[in-house]
Amino acid sequence: MLTTQRILLLLLPLIAGSLLRPRTKHTFGTALAGHKERTLLLTAHPDDETFFFSPTLTALSYSSMHGLGDIFVVSLSTGNAKGLGDARREEFGRALEIFGIREERRSILDHPYLQDNKTSAWDPAVIAEEIHPLVVEHNITTILTFDSHGITGHPNHRSALAGAVHLISSTLLLSPSTVCPRLFTLYSRPSTKHLGPLAAFVAPGYISSPGPVFVASLVDYVTALRAMSKHPSQLRLIPFMKGLFSRYLWVNEWVEVTM
Ligand SMILES: *[C@@H]1O[C@H](CO)[C@@H](O)[C@H](O)[C@H]1NC(C)=O
Ligand SMILES: *[C@@H]1O[C@H](CO)[C@@H](O)[C@H](O)[C@H]1NC(C)=O
């Protein structure tokens, strides 16, 4: 059992660490000369953006407010596995408001082939087709998504990566006026039974290399907690406690995938 003391002991190094290591990264460095970096964060369910990508969202939102870039967030489903899709759609909007990401910078798909499901993967071709117009319309230079382990191993998370890979390697982006975005994946810390997640990347077809690391400041962490509170449908006690101590609220390590 976690006693209050232990909880404090766990929390203190994190807080101290984040105060000592203020955020240094604000972009992925993918902008071409004279242009802004335009980033698309591709998630699977409303709440992924908050639980896993907060340090990056606070940083990119800061950079967007200072005219250094733009950030768009897309959730590939409404998270309707338990019939809560409508509520979760609202929560997604409220949480992203906390990060300063306005309505025109976020969207949520509700495609019949991309429904929230713990046991089935999504067709990468459908994902690629769905996000292609967004990538072109917003002239996206960076796509961010899960890695091949998808943090929790959820097949929908892993599908987001497969969809992004499909988009970049398919002919969809072949028009000469379109920039081919660079793809970065959120490094999943090895959980006990998994092989080094990087090993999974050395799969046929693409390679990966370490990229930027985003570290939350204490203020960023509080922003993330406020965003978490906008997802009441997902805040049952145990997941909430797990979420509170999640390293993904503090650090996002990105790995670039090149094809
Ligand atoms: C898209 O962005 C790239 C690089 O940031 C730039 O070279 C290109 O002109 C932009 N295209 C449009 C249509 O805005
Ligand atoms: C998830 O997909 C499986 C098939 O892989 C299906 O049997 C099941 O009904 C789906 N669950 C939901 C909630 O749609």
Side-chain angles (χ1 to χ4, degrees):
M1 282 302 291
L2 282 178
T3 62
T4 316
Q5 257 180 337
R6 277 190 196 159
I7 289 174
L8 279 176
L9 277 177
L10 277 170
L11 207 54
L12 278 176
L14 285 174
I15 293 174
S18 86
L19 289 174
L20 291 172
R21 285 175 61 199
R23 187 209 306 132
T24 50
K25 280 274 169 202
H26 292 113
T27 71
F28 281 78
T30 62
L32 303 179
H35 293 274
K36 280 200 249 179
E37 173 169 292
R38 301 166 72 87
T39 305
L40 175 70
L41 171 63
L42 189 64
T43 70
H45 313 108
D47 80 0
D48 292 344
E49 79 295 333
T50 303
F51 283 82
F52 305 127
F53 299 100
S54 286
T56 305
L57 276 182
T58 45
L60 295 187
S61 170
Y62 174 92
S63 103
S64 158
M65 276 185 286
H66 290 77
L68 301 169
D70 270 324
I71 166 83
F72 300 86
V73 183
V74 174
S75 170
L76 289 169
S77 80
T78 61
N80 197 37
K82 294 181 181 147
L84 296 170
D86 287 338
R88 296 188 69 184
R89 185 197 290 273
E90 301 263 315
E91 293 173 4
F92 177 73
R94 287 196 207 109
L96 283 174
E97 286 290 328
I98 299 287
F99 289 109
I101 295 166
R102 306 250 170 274
E103 205 166 355
E104 65 279 8
R105 306 270 157 114
R106 55 186 199 237
S107 61
I108 190 159
L109 306 185
D110 191 10
H111 188 286
Y113 293 161
L114 307 177
Q115 290 296 314
D116 179 13
N117 193 320
K118 264 199 180 107
T119 60
S120 60
W122 289 332
D123 182 348
V126 174
I127 297 173
E129 238 167 72
E130 289 297 305
I131 61 174
H132 174 241
L134 288 160
V135 169
V136 173
E137 182 194 344
H138 298 302
N139 198 9
I140 295 298
T141 60
T142 321
I143 297 180
L144 308 179
T145 193
F146 294 102
D147 70 4
S148 57
H149 174 59
I151 299 176
T152 57
H154 196 304
N156 297 166
H157 295 178
R158 301 157 70 146
S159 296
L161 169 63
V165 167
H166 189 94
L167 175 69
I168 290 174
S169 56
S170 71
T171 54
L172 285 169
L173 288 171
L174 276 186
S175 124
S177 60
T178 314
V179 180
C180 189
R182 284 165 63 182
L183 174 60
F184 292 83
T185 60
L186 182 63
Y187 179 57
S188 292
R189 280 282 148 180
S191 70
T192 47
K193 59 181 186 292
H194 292 93
L195 299 171
L198 286 178
F201 263 116
V202 192
Y206 54 101
I207 51 164
S208 56
S209 55
V213 178
F214 290 77
V215 181
S217 68
L218 192 53
V219 174
D220 296 338
Y221 179 69
V222 171
T223 303
L225 293 188
R226 284 171 56 218
M228 270 172 83
S229 76
K230 303 296 174 190
H231 285 291
S233 77
Q234 304 309 303
L235 291 183
R236 292 168 311 275
L237 185 64
I238 299 301
F240 177 75
M241 290 307 284
K242 272 163 105 180
L244 220 48
F245 295 111
S246 161
R247 71 186 313 280
Y248 300 101
L249 290 181
W250 292 99
V251 185
N252 281 169
E253 292 144 292
W254 292 95
V255 173
E256 179 161 17
V257 176
T258 37
M259 269 151 273

